[in-house]
Amino acid sequence: MPAENSITTMTARRTLSQADLDVYAQLSGDHNPIHVDPAFAAHTRFGATVAHGMLLFSLVRAQLEQHYPGAAMHSQHLTFPAPAYTQQSLEISLVIQGAAAADELAIRTRITRPDGQRCLEGDCVLHLAPSPQ
Amino acid sequence: MSGDRPGLQALTVGASARIAHVFTAAQIDDWWQLAGTAGARAPAHNSVPEPLIAGLFSCLLGERLPGHGTNYLKQRMVFERPAPAGTALTASVTITHIRHDKALVDLDTVCHDAAGRIVCRGRALVRFDR
């Protein structure tokens, strides 16, 4: 791995199960059958259940917390180019872009499938100083 | 090519949908357990995680406006203040623009706390090819 990559990019892997999608459906209230009903999803253009977009964002958010504990999220832009399926090893990447302001950090956020397709692509800005509350 | 798209035709600029929701501290703990990778620890603070707020927009778009068949393309969000666990949140989506030729719908998305203060504001782009 190139040295500059190891400085600016942090990656983690996660394989989602149908049970994970079911838990997220309970927490979010989003019980759309494309996420929770394998028999229904099999007959759609996706061919199987797909992860909720905001479950993917959840994986990104937890990685941000792991690397920048206590940082507040100022903003996040998200796109969902390709569906993410269960039982795939998803790569979660944080690519550091630099300081957006004195106490802010701009980070590119990505989730990539094993075939290289992007399931989530986005940019976020973190406040590194804990927010007063 | 995609027919008349009666669902798209029925949408109007200014149409809005809203949902009220309370996330409990226990649900927030469950969310950290779900979202974290092995070995990750949930933080001590227990404000509502941003993806659960975003999930309220997602629910509204997929279930209410435009509704079933919505293909979520983009979401932009700015988080203005934290929302503590147990706070009554109200999320709403409002159609701002419809591109009939491409079946694309732009919406404003906003989430308020119980005091009416903005927790999160932003915009969504969806395709609704129905």
Side-chain angles (χ1 to χ4, degrees):
Chain A
M1 188 191 296
E4 60 181 327
N5 237 19
S6 62
I7 293 168
T8 60
T9 302
M10 295 165 285
T11 63
R13 290 196 163 272
R14 175 71 180 268
T15 300
L16 293 170
S17 65
Q18 185 60 51
D20 291 329
L21 273 56
D22 293 347
V23 169
Y24 181 81
Q26 286 294 335
L27 289 173
S28 68
D30 186 343
H31 298 280
N32 190 316
I34 192 60
H35 306 303
V36 297
D37 185 342
F40 169 87
H43 297 288
T44 67
R45 66 190 171 90
F46 297 108
T49 53
V50 302
H52 303 71
M54 295 313 172
L55 172 54
L56 300 179
F57 177 30
S58 297
L59 303 183
V60 166
R61 185 65 186 91
Q63 284 303 303
L64 290 167
E65 175 65 24
Q66 192 164 358
H67 291 285
Y68 301 99
M73 178 170 276
H74 169 66
S75 63
Q76 173 80 55
H77 179 228
L78 295 169
T79 68
F80 305 106
Y85 297 98
T86 61
Q87 308 310 328
Q88 287 185 321
S89 178
L90 302 172
E91 184 183 76
I92 307 156
S93 305
L94 308 179
V95 186
I96 309 308
Q97 304 294 294
D103 59 349
E104 290 184 348
L105 190 61
I107 301 174
R108 181 146 296 159
T109 57
R110 292 178 177 143
I111 293 184
T112 310
R113 303 196 313 207
D115 65 0
Q117 291 224 58
R118 291 266 162 73
C119 306
L120 176 150
E121 179 116 42
D123 290 285
C124 79
V125 174
L126 290 186
H127 276 302
L128 295 183
S131 59
Q133 196 204 331
Chain B
M1 271 195 281
S2 304
D4 292 327
R5 293 180 177 135
L8 185 71
Q9 297 290 340
L11 299 180
T12 55
V13 170
S16 184
R18 68 175 51 209
I19 186 173
H21 197 81
V22 175
F23 290 106
T24 65
Q27 288 173 319
I28 292 169
D29 285 345
D30 288 346
W31 178 88
W32 281 107
Q33 197 165 347
L34 171 67
T37 48
R41 262 185 335 114
H45 61 78
N46 74 340
S47 53
V48 180
E50 296 86 353
L52 288 178
I53 295 169
L56 296 176
F57 302 138
S58 180
C59 266
L60 285 168
L61 297 170
E63 294 290 330
R64 303 266 302 278
L65 187 73
H68 285 178
T70 293
N71 183 7
Y72 210 166
L73 300 178
K74 296 184 183 181
Q75 177 72 55
R76 187 180 293 277
M77 292 169 285
V78 173
F79 298 94
E80 301 208 341
R81 59 170 47 77
T87 299
L89 296 173
T90 302
S92 62
V93 301
T94 305
I95 295 177
T96 56
H97 191 61
I98 303 170
R99 280 171 273 179
H100 287 276
D101 56 332
K102 294 182 175 173
L104 294 175
V105 183
D106 290 277
L107 303 100
D108 271 344
T109 59
V110 64
C111 181
H112 291 91
D113 65 14
R117 300 176 302 186
I118 292 178
V119 170
C120 174
R121 59 183 165 79
R123 296 175 56 193
L125 175 68
V126 302
R127 179 178 293 114
F128 191 59
D129 197 6
R130 292 201 164 194

